[in-house]
């Protein structure tokens, strides 16, 4: 589903990412890589097949969009170092032709040097370009002159229907000056969002994005 | 025949106490002393402990050599109890008898509460008699010298066997008995049980499959206890709500009864209900402060101990409790028992009634306090059941491969085992009599290499095969295994304590994590303010007078037993005519007439179906009166069969009387029934498996199975590991194993448990067979009826759909835009 923001065109993808057409950039929020391996180290049995799923979806995205740049909106890696980081580095090297940036999130506790070694451009706070701001924590009062893309909250929305039916699905939240992306990673919780004035919510299944209201 | 020394001493003892050696006790003694095994069937407070303890003492006395120095030492008798709390009381009684007979006999207690010092001393020299829980018994087998420990053991008694048998703890007990029998082929095994429907089976489980008919026996106590049942009725039936299960509307009537009695126990069905009742009573009758207490399983052990002591010493007038007081110590001062809400089973009702009138010859009286109007029918049915002594069965657990896997690892941690010999031994257990070589080999594979899809991970390899024996060599694996033994898998609980450090009890993580600082909640009869949560502890302070949340505990609602539901169907049939002139039914008459006016009252030969449309959508209600578990299965089956005809989505709800299929589309049932046989038993299991719901249910069951079988480590004690993570990983494991393995016994077991316990397949088949003979009456109603209303307002719902997700969302979102 394509939406227009400040004269630019953004595609909301059912893979829970946004593609910015003008600059051929993929925006990806809250990957939380390493979480599954982190569990396993704690004695919680999670087959690694679940972890592979993240990379499958990343590959799919990169191939389908032909993106030349990826901006990670923080919480790329869930915990301190574990072997899943190496898997990420391998994946990154395979896609060396793509420019990758990260704005740091609260979970990104790995040393900055490791990100740099993986050939990521690191922004501790925000990254700005043409009046667009890319950050991890959503702004409480975003500057109306600019437009913010953020992650962090893992937004979900619940729709209700007749016959006591309901769905709780990840969503994109688009306010006048700010957009929040759903969490990309599997295995992450969700924060319930509500409809509000001048707010658009887009829920997504694995195959399709819907506009609510 | 000359009397033995033991007999003489025991008879003198009885005389000195001025007690009579009851007939069933004598009978049990004779059977025991002739070397038999078996079952003693006697109610609490009838001297059931002495029926086996006294003959053991006779045997003990007779075995004493003339020269005390030559006395053989070591464990002779194990006494298994389901509750730690019970062992205190038992210990007191047993020790008293031994001391009064001047016997130098050591009695020990072994449970999770036993101190390390006591353990060490037991390790050095086991007492002659040991009171133990099934879990602690298994832990003894995880020690290297277990066969040495048990070599002189000649008797094992399992107390409250009816409680243990129906659970995986019963299976645990069975496995331990089988092993002990291998160590000593002459082992005598005895159970003590209250009356249940399947006593004969209960005996078979305790004596094992190889015991010859003439070597075992059931001894029944003749002491019949008279039970009086009285319902608490409001002036007007309108006082009782159509739905609901708290029952506090009748608090004034209940307190009147309490005031007339010396000591009263009020039994509720849930912990939340107990808390509500405590609060309601104290708010309306502040004079009860100090003479009323609360007792449920989430309160700290110390608090509960205090309540039990105070009950014993007649310091309390009223205790509000849950099943936590079903078992346990005799409370002689209790003269009145009140049951709030339907106990759903006749056996449970009788058990609770038995908590009053403990003296021989005194009748037990139990009051029934209904929580909603229709429970008045249950009241009458319960009385029927009690009079006709229709006691429910407690079916033993069959083919619990998770427990067996755990047991195999336990033995491997101990001295190790030889598989052929263990296989034969396990097959002697009732619960594993049908296990075959193939299954056994799967289990051996599972404990040594992990299941096929996990083979690459070292974490799942536990046991090694060395020189033909299966052993655990890694200390880390042994340690982890010992920490996670047991069959009770609960949600992660957090301790609740005051700022100054006193512990109050525990609450579940799911509830605790929803709270924030400043929130208040009711717990342990107090209003508490949430201060903070740290590691595994919730710190609180007293919050005077503020309104608070009610704690929620996980745990399923009990379902109507098969016996009780039969009585209810009978009663409904003739409820309006009320031929026996029961006052409960007279009260209920206006409501029943409303039901007849809006819909119908089904005869025994009829099945009632109601259809109505409300703002929520199109409702279908079906009333088989078979209990909520069977209804859950039937709802799934019906929804699935209808949804096969055309894409449709249902939300399902049920209670003990019927179930509901709710949809956004109208279903023409007359037409549907011409197209397909909705209530057919053909392809029953297939249809259940085909519906996604069965897989979801199995996935949930699998969590417990995976934990018992040692697939998942629940964490080191005191170390916080969120339930959510465990749940997430168990469901992943389930998905992977279902996808990549054909015949995973643990996955199969999860499905089997869903069929057997969650959906009560056997009972469902019987119900469907009955429905096949019934006339189906479909009533279109304009308004909800007294029967349908309680189901309609139930918030716990499941979905079943044959529509595509995207289509359903499209339809739903259309409503949003239509509203604009």
């Amino acid at each position: 589903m394509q939406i227009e923001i400040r004269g630019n065109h953004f595609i909301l993808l059912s893979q829970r990412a946004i593609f910015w057409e003008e600059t051929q950039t993929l925006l990806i929020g809250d990957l939380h890589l390493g979480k599954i391996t982190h569990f396993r180290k704690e004695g919680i049995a999670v087959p690694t097949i679940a972890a592979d799923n993240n990379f499958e979806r990343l590959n799919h995205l990169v191939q389908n969009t032909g993106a030349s740049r990826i901006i990670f909106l923080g919480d790329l890696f869930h915990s301190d170092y574990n072997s899943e980081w190496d898997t990420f580095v391998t994946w990154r090297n395979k896609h060396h032709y793509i420019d990758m940036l990260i704005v740091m999130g609260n979970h990104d506790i790995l040393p900055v040097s490791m990100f740099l070694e993986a050939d990521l451009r690191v922004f501790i706070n925000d990254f700005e370009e043409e009046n667009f701001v890319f950050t991890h924590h959503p702004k409480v009062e975003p500057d109306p002159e600019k437009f913010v893309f953020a992650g962090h909250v893992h937004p979900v929305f619940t729709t209700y229907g007749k016959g006591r039916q309901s769905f709780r699905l990840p969503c994109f939240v688009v306010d006048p000056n700010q957009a929040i992306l759903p969490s990309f990673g599997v295995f992450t919780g969700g924060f319930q969002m509500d409809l509000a004035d001048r707010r658009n919510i887009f829920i997504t299944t694995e195959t399709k994005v819907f506009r609510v209201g | 025949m000359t009397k033995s020394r033991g007999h003489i001493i025991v008879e003198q003892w009885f005389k000195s106490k001025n007690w009579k050696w009851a007939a069933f006790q004598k009978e049990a003694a004779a059977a025991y002393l002739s070397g038999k095994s078996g079952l003693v069937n006697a109610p609490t407070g009838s001297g059931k402990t002495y029926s086996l303890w006294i003959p053991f003492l006779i045997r003990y006395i007779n075995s004493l050599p003339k020269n005390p120095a030559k006395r053989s030492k070591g464990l002779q008798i194990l006494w298994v109890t389901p509750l730690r709390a019970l062992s205190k009381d038992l210990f007191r009684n047993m020790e008293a008898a031994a001391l009064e007979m001047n016997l130098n006999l050591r009695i020990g207690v072994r449970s999770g509460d036993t101190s390390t010092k006591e353990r060490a001393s037991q390790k050095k020299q086991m007492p002659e008699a040991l009171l133990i829980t099934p879990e602690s018994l298994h832990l003894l087998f995880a020690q290297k010298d277990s066969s040495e420990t048990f070599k002189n053991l000649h008797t094992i008694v399992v107390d409250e066997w009816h409680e243990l048998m129906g659970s995986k703890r019963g299976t645990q007990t069975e496995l331990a008995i089988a092993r002990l029998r291998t160590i000593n082929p002459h082992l005598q095994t005895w159970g003590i049980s209250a009356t249940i429907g399947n006593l004969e089976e209960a005996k078979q489980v305790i004596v094992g499959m190889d015991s010859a008919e003439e070597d075992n026996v059931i001894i029944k106590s003749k002491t019949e206890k008279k039970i009086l049942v009285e319902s608490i009725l409001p002036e007007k039936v309108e006082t009782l709500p159509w739905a609901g299960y708290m029952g506090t509307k009748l608090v004034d009537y209940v307190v009147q009864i309490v005031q007339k009695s010396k000591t009263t126990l009020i039994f509720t069905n849930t912990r939340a209900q107990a808390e509500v009742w405590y609060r309601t009573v104290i708010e309306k009758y502040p004079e009860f402060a100090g003479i009323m207490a609360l007792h449920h399983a989430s309160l700290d052990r110390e608090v509960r101990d205090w309540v039990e002591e105070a009950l014993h010493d007649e310091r309390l007038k009223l205790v509000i409790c849950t099943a936590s007081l079903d078992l346990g110590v005799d409370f002689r001062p209790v003269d009145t028992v009140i049951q709030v809400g339907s106990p759903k089973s006749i056996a449970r009702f009788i058990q609770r009634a038995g908590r009053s009138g403990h003296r021989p010859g005194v009748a037990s009286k139990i009051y029934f306090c209904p929580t909603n109007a229709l429970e008045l029918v249950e009241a009458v049915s319960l009385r029927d059941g009690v009079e006709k002594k229709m006691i429910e069965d407690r079916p033993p657990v069959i083919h619990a491969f998770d427990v067996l896997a755990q047991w195999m690892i336990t033995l491997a941690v101990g001295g190790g085992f030889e598989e052929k010999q263990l296989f034969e031994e396990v097959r002697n257990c009732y619960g594993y009599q049908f296990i075959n070589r193939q299954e056994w080999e799967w289990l051996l594979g599972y404990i040594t290499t992990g299941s096929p899809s996990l083979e690459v991970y070292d974490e799942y390899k536990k046991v090694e095969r060395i020189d033909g024996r299966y052993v655990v060599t890694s200390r880390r694996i042994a340690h982890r295994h010992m920490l996670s033994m047991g069959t009770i898998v609960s949600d992660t609980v957090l301790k609740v304590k005051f700022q100054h450090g006193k512990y109050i009890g525990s609450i579940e993580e799911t509830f605790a994590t929803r709270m924030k600082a400043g929130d208040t909640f009711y717990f342990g009869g107090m209003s508490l303010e949430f201060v903070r949560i740290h590691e595994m502890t919730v710190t609180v302070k007293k919050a005077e007078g503020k309104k608070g949340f009610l704690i929620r505990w996980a745990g399923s609602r009990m379902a109507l037993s098969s016996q009780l539901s039969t009585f209810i169907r009978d009663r409904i049939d003739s409820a309006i005519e009320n031929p026996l002139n029961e006052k409960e039914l007279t009260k209920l008459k206006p409501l029943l007439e409303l039901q007849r006016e809006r819909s119908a009252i089904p005869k025994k030969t009829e099945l009632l179906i109601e259809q109505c449309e409300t703002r929520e959508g199109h409702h279908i209600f079906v009333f088989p009166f078979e209990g909520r578990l069977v209804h859950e299965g039937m709802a799934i089956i019906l929804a699935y069969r209808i949804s096969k005809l055309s894409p449709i989505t249902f939300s399902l709800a049920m209670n003990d009387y019927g179930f509901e299929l709710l949809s956004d589309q109208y279903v023409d049932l007359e037409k549907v029934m011409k197209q397909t046989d909705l209530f057919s038993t053909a392809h029953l299991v297939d249809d259940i498996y085909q519906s996604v719901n069965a897989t979801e249910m199995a996935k949930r069951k699998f969590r417990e199975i995976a934990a018992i079988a040692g697939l998942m480590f629940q964490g080191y004690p005191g170390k916080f590991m969120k339930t959510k993570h465990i749940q997430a990983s168990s469901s992943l494991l389930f998905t992977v194993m279902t996808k990549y393995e054909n015949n995973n016994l643990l996955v199969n077991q999860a499905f089997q448990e869903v069929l057997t316990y969650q959906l009560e397949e056997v009972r469902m088949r019987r119900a469907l067979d009955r429905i096949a003979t019934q006339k189906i009456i479909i009533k279109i109603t304009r308004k909800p009826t007294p029967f349908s209303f309680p189901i309609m307002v139930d918030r716990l719902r499941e979905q079943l759909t044959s529509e595509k997700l995207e289509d359903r969302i499209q339809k739903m979102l259309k409503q949003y835009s239509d509203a604009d």
Side-chain angles (χ1 to χ4, degrees):
Chain A
M1 174 158 314
Q2 197 200 51
I3 58 171
E4 198 183 314
I5 298 171
R6 312 277 159 110
N8 281 255
H9 297 85
F10 295 85
I11 306 178
L12 309 183
L13 299 160
S14 63
Q15 287 88 350
R16 297 189 240 163
I18 291 181
F19 187 62
W20 180 9
E21 291 191 317
E22 279 73 9
T23 61
Q24 294 288 297
T25 303
L26 263 178
L27 309 179
I28 293 177
D30 300 83
L31 219 85
H32 289 271
L33 289 174
K35 190 166 183 174
I36 287 159
T37 310
H38 179 68
F39 282 175
R40 291 174 54 86
K41 281 181 123 180
E42 295 284 309
I44 300 178
V46 186
T48 36
I49 292 165
D52 300 342
N53 182 271
N54 276 330
F55 292 104
E56 262 171 44
R57 286 166 55 226
L58 278 174
N59 284 337
H60 198 73
L61 267 178
V62 171
Q63 278 161 18
N64 283 357
T65 59
S68 60
R69 178 171 69 167
I70 297 178
I71 302 177
F72 293 106
L73 299 171
D75 288 359
L76 174 65
F77 206 72
H78 181 75
S79 60
D80 40 67
Y81 170 82
N82 63 42
S83 62
E84 220 169 312
W85 177 254
D86 300 332
T87 317
F88 174 73
V89 173
T90 311
W91 176 85
R92 201 277 169 259
N93 290 338
K94 238 195 264 172
H95 300 89
H96 53 86
Y97 49 88
I98 300 177
D99 180 21
M100 294 192 196
L101 290 74
I102 176 173
V103 287
M104 298 296 250
N106 48 314
H107 270 282
D108 295 304
I109 51 170
L110 287 179
V112 172
S113 61
M114 292 186 73
F115 290 99
L116 295 173
E117 273 167 38
D119 196 17
L120 293 175
R121 286 200 279 150
V122 177
F123 295 82
I124 301 298
N125 294 313
D126 301 351
F127 166 70
E128 293 196 24
E129 186 173 283
E130 300 174 28
N131 281 339
F132 288 107
V133 182
F134 303 90
T135 188
H136 180 60
H137 290 273
K139 308 277 181 204
V140 183
E141 278 179 31
D143 178 355
E145 297 294 304
K146 296 176 177 167
F147 191 90
V148 180
F149 285 92
H152 184 64
V153 291
H154 306 182
V156 294
F157 183 77
T158 311
T159 59
Y160 297 92
K162 263 206 159 175
R164 287 246 176 107
Q165 299 185 30
S166 68
F167 288 106
R168 187 170 180 271
L169 290 166
C171 67
F172 299 88
V173 180
V174 184
D175 286 335
N177 302 314
Q178 175 160 273
I180 304 173
L181 274 73
S183 124
F184 185 86
V186 286
F187 255 111
T188 45
F191 180 78
Q192 184 66 41
M193 302 300 292
D194 293 315
L195 279 169
D197 228 17
R198 302 179 65 211
R199 162 177 286 179
N200 281 302
I201 285 184
F202 301 86
I203 51 178
T204 175
T205 66
E206 279 178 17
T207 56
K208 200 170 169 193
V209 177
F210 298 85
R211 180 197 291 265
V212 179
Chain B
M1 200 180 88
T2 49
K3 277 184 183 160
S4 73
R5 206 145 55 98
H7 264 103
I8 295 167
I9 294 182
V10 160
E11 276 171 10
Q12 279 169 354
W13 177 74
F14 268 109
K15 207 177 251 170
S16 74
K17 304 286 284 187
N18 219 356
W19 285 351
K20 219 179 139 264
W21 200 357
F24 84 96
Q25 290 176 323
K26 271 191 186 161
E27 215 183 305
Y32 174 79
L33 290 169
S34 70
K36 288 190 180 175
S37 294
L39 192 75
V40 172
N41 167 219
T44 329
S46 63
K48 61 190 172 81
T49 308
Y50 284 149
S51 71
L52 291 167
W53 181 243
I54 296 298
F56 165 75
L57 290 180
I58 296 177
R59 176 174 181 173
Y60 175 76
I61 296 166
N62 292 344
S63 74
L64 286 177
K66 290 264 155 50
N67 180 354
K70 282 197 184 148
R71 232 176 83 191
S72 71
K73 293 215 162 104
L75 195 57
Q76 301 188 8
I77 183 168
L78 274 174
W79 202 283
V80 182
T81 74
L83 282 182
R84 297 170 191 183
L86 284 175
S87 40
K88 241 186 346 192
D89 223 42
L90 278 168
F91 178 79
R92 243 181 293 181
N93 289 341
M94 291 175 166
E95 194 174 47
L99 282 178
E100 284 157 5
M101 291 180 207
N102 272 323
L103 296 176
N104 183 14
L105 172 92
R106 286 204 308 150
I107 305 167
V109 178
R110 183 80 169 219
S111 70
D113 295 337
T114 310
S115 69
T116 353
K117 196 178 148 224
E118 175 70 19
R119 276 161 207 263
S121 114
Q122 284 178 3
K123 198 172 170 118
K124 229 162 72 202
Q125 177 63 66
M126 269 286 175
E128 281 82 12
L130 189 62
L131 293 163
I132 200 164
T133 55
E135 288 78 11
S136 295
L137 180 54
H138 270 220
L139 277 166
L140 287 182
F141 282 102
Q143 293 180 349
K144 294 275 176 232
D145 51 356
S146 64
S147 50
E148 191 57 30
T149 309
F150 297 120
K151 76 166 190 252
N152 290 327
L153 185 87
H154 55 67
T155 304
I156 179 164
V157 175
V158 188
D159 216 335
E160 311 273 3
W161 178 229
H162 60 282
E163 271 303 318
L164 280 175
M165 188 176 64
S167 71
K168 288 182 179 174
R169 301 179 75 207
T171 314
Q172 251 184 328
T173 314
E174 262 188 274
L175 286 167
I177 293 178
R179 168 104 306 208
L180 292 170
R181 213 179 269 124
T182 303
I183 297 171
N184 174 9
H186 299 292
L187 183 79
Q188 284 178 257
T189 56
W190 282 84
I192 301 177
S193 168
T195 300
I196 48 176
N198 53 335
L199 271 182
E200 199 50 54
E201 190 176 33
K203 182 196 73 181
Q204 195 64 56
V205 181
I206 206 100
V207 301
M209 299 310 295
D210 289 347
S211 174
E213 193 67 41
E214 64 274 16
D215 292 339
N216 60 65
V217 63
I218 294 181
I219 312 267
K220 289 190 182 198
S221 93
K222 307 279 182 301
T223 35
E224 286 267 315
K225 200 125 195 109
K226 201 165 165 48
I227 296 172
L228 304 172
V229 182
E230 188 169 333
S231 302
I232 298 171
L233 296 175
E235 299 276 317
K236 289 194 194 120
V237 73
E238 292 83 61
T239 314
L240 286 171
W242 282 19
Y245 60 99
M246 278 305 171
T248 44
K249 287 249 163 69
L250 296 183
V251 63
D252 294 330
Y253 296 88
V254 167
V255 169
Q256 265 177 35
I257 294 167
V258 173
Q259 274 159 344
K260 273 189 279 178
S261 315
K262 214 163 75 190
T263 306
T264 304
L265 291 184
I266 294 183
F267 278 101
T268 63
N269 288 330
T270 66
R271 286 168 279 189
Q273 202 180 1
E275 293 273 353
V276 168
W277 266 84
Y278 186 91
R279 201 172 86 218
T280 313
V281 173
I282 209 87
E283 272 169 12
K284 281 195 97 168
Y285 300 89
E287 66 268 28
F288 272 95
I291 50 168
M292 168 167 89
L294 189 60
H295 191 289
H296 61 68
S298 288
L299 292 173
D300 196 58
R301 184 72 252 170
E302 250 177 66
V303 178
R304 281 183 284 161
D305 281 348
W306 180 86
V307 174
E308 287 168 30
E309 288 293 326
L311 252 180
H312 218 89
D313 305 342
E314 300 184 38
R315 279 181 282 146
L316 291 173
K317 190 162 181 63
L318 172 63
V319 174
I320 297 170
C321 58
T322 61
S324 61
L325 279 187
D326 271 359
L327 283 183
V329 265
D330 302 350
F331 301 118
R332 266 159 241 280
V334 175
D335 60 347
T336 303
V337 172
I338 300 172
Q339 165 71 40
V340 177
S342 168
K344 303 293 176 196
S345 117
I346 300 163
R348 191 176 298 119
F349 195 57
I350 291 179
Q351 169 99 354
R352 290 178 177 176
R355 304 317 260 145
S356 79
H358 244 309
R359 273 151 300 147
V362 178
S364 291
K365 182 154 192 182
I366 184 162
Y367 291 90
F368 176 75
C369 170
T371 57
N372 60 55
L374 285 177
E375 273 189 351
L376 287 173
V377 184
E378 284 187 56
V380 183
S381 313
L382 275 166
R383 199 159 52 216
D384 260 2
V386 170
E387 263 165 35
K388 303 202 173 97
K389 292 240 175 339
M390 292 294 291
I391 315 280
E392 288 87 1
D393 287 3
R394 288 281 177 107
V397 177
I398 300 293
H399 280 184
F401 293 118
D402 52 348
V403 182
L404 186 51
Q406 187 188 83
W407 176 238
M408 290 161 84
I409 301 169
T410 304
L411 292 177
V413 169
F417 64 87
E418 202 277 301
E419 65 88 6
K420 288 214 168 54
Q421 187 274 324
L422 185 63
F423 179 62
E424 288 312 315
E425 179 184 307
V426 166
R427 280 220 301 195
N428 184 29
C429 291
Y430 189 91
Y432 299 103
Q433 52 182 308
F434 300 116
I435 189 172
N436 58 38
R437 251 340 268 193
Q438 214 180 343
E439 290 163 336
W440 181 250
E441 257 148 46
W442 189 91
L443 285 166
L444 287 172
Y446 166 75
I447 61 168
T448 47
T449 61
S451 89
S453 64
L454 294 171
E455 261 173 8
V456 282
Y457 308 127
D458 287 339
E459 292 110 281
Y460 304 113
K461 293 181 185 167
K462 300 196 163 166
V463 181
E464 292 166 79
R465 187 158 179 245
I466 298 172
D467 299 334
R469 278 184 86 72
Y470 286 79
V471 287
V472 168
T473 53
S474 152
R475 289 187 57 182
R476 182 168 159 270
I477 287 172
H479 182 57
R480 278 194 166 204
H481 179 72
M482 308 259 282
L483 284 174
S484 50
M485 276 167 65
T487 59
I488 301 170
V489 180
S490 54
D491 262 355
T492 311
V493 292
L494 306 183
K495 289 216 162 209
V496 183
K497 69 163 197 179
F498 281 121
Q499 281 167 312
H500 52 72
K502 189 178 164 10
Y503 281 102
I504 313 163
S506 53
I507 58 179
E508 275 158 20
E509 178 200 338
T510 35
F511 178 78
T513 47
R514 277 208 306 267
M515 309 271 292
K516 50 185 192 300
D519 282 354
T520 58
F521 62 103
Y522 286 104
F523 181 61
M526 288 172 284
S527 177
L528 302 171
E529 186 181 323
F530 184 91
V531 179
R532 68 175 165 273
I533 177 170
H534 182 65
E535 298 273 283
M536 296 290 280
T537 309
V538 176
T539 308
V540 297
K541 61 182 182 196
K542 276 212 170 168
E544 286 311 328
K546 282 195 236 168
K547 279 268 167 213
F549 296 106
L550 198 59
I551 302 196
R552 279 171 203 286
W553 277 279
S556 45
R557 283 183 255 175
M558 286 170 294
L560 208 57
S561 78
S562 168
Q563 277 77 354
L564 193 53
S565 52
T566 312
F567 283 111
I568 289 176
R569 282 192 302 273
D570 281 1
R571 287 306 188 151
I572 294 267
D573 179 306
S574 63
I576 286 195
E577 297 81 34
N578 193 7
L580 294 173
N581 219 355
E582 313 261 18
K583 57 179 180 163
E584 288 89 350
L585 296 180
T586 316
K587 269 285 176 242
L588 196 58
K589 204 167 177 195
L591 199 71
L592 293 168
E593 270 166 355
L594 186 66
Q595 170 69 29
R596 185 163 63 179
E597 186 189 307
R598 287 191 186 171
S599 160
I601 295 201
K603 297 268 142 210
K604 264 195 284 186
T605 51
E606 295 168 341
L607 175 74
L608 175 65
I609 298 180
E610 292 178 4
Q611 281 190 285
C612 87
E613 191 187 348
T614 67
R615 265 175 41 210
E616 284 189 330
H618 299 271
H619 307 255
I620 302 171
F621 296 99
V622 185
F623 300 99
F625 292 92
E626 265 295 351
R628 58 182 305 120
L629 299 182
V630 171
H631 291 160
E632 185 173 7
M634 277 195 196
I636 292 173
I637 288 283
L638 252 63
Y640 175 72
R641 287 175 180 171
I642 297 173
S643 77
K644 270 204 305 195
L645 301 174
S646 67
I648 189 166
T649 301
F650 289 112
S651 116
L652 316 177
M654 56 238 103
N655 69 7
D656 281 320
Y657 305 149
F659 59 89
E660 176 194 358
L661 310 181
L662 170 64
S663 176
D664 53 352
Q665 304 171 34
Y666 171 71
V667 178
D668 184 345
L669 274 181
E670 307 263 9
K671 208 173 115 198
V672 165
M673 283 198 271
K674 281 195 195 101
Q675 284 171 287
T676 180
D677 187 357
L678 283 183
F679 295 99
S680 159
T681 50
H683 314 294
L684 184 64
V685 173
D686 278 349
D687 283 356
I688 291 177
Y689 280 172
Q690 292 291 320
S691 75
V692 193
N693 302 52
T695 313
E696 281 306 311
M697 287 178 191
K699 209 185 254 183
R700 287 198 292 267
K701 283 268 181 227
F702 187 71
R703 176 178 161 245
E704 182 192 286
I705 293 169
I708 295 176
L711 261 181
M712 277 182 321
F713 182 49
Q714 305 245 25
Y716 291 100
K719 196 159 179 271
F720 193 65
M721 195 182 282
K722 276 193 179 164
T723 322
K724 213 164 82 184
H725 294 179
I726 296 174
Q727 214 131 24
S729 65
S730 87
S731 85
L732 250 169
L733 275 176
F734 179 86
T735 312
V736 172
M737 289 178 165
T738 328
K739 205 162 151 192
Y740 298 102
E741 293 177 35
N742 273 333
N743 205 7
N744 185 308
L745 288 193
L746 300 175
V747 168
N748 295 355
Q749 187 188 338
F751 278 102
Q752 196 54 49
E753 284 188 12
V754 167
L755 276 185
T756 313
Y757 301 109
Q758 188 149 1
L759 305 176
E760 296 195 271
E761 186 205 346
V762 178
R763 200 173 147 193
M764 178 151 79
R765 279 183 190 280
R766 258 185 276 138
L768 289 172
D769 285 340
R770 195 189 67 237
I771 289 172
T773 67
Q774 283 175 324
K775 190 174 157 217
I776 292 174
I777 303 178
I778 299 175
K779 292 275 178 189
I780 310 288
T781 67
R782 283 185 40 241
K783 284 180 182 172
T785 63
F787 282 6
S788 68
F789 180 76
I791 309 177
M792 194 181 235
V793 295
D794 199 325
R795 296 277 140 192
L796 282 174
R797 274 162 191 272
E798 285 180 59
Q799 304 258 327
L800 191 142
T801 184
S802 57
E803 291 176 285
K804 268 174 66 186
L805 177 68
E806 280 74 17
D807 292 345
R808 291 174 65 194
I809 293 174
Q810 200 84 62
K811 208 155 66 173
M812 223 180 256
L813 291 179
K814 200 168 164 290
Q815 297 172 26
Y816 283 85
S817 40
D818 286 352
D820 291 342

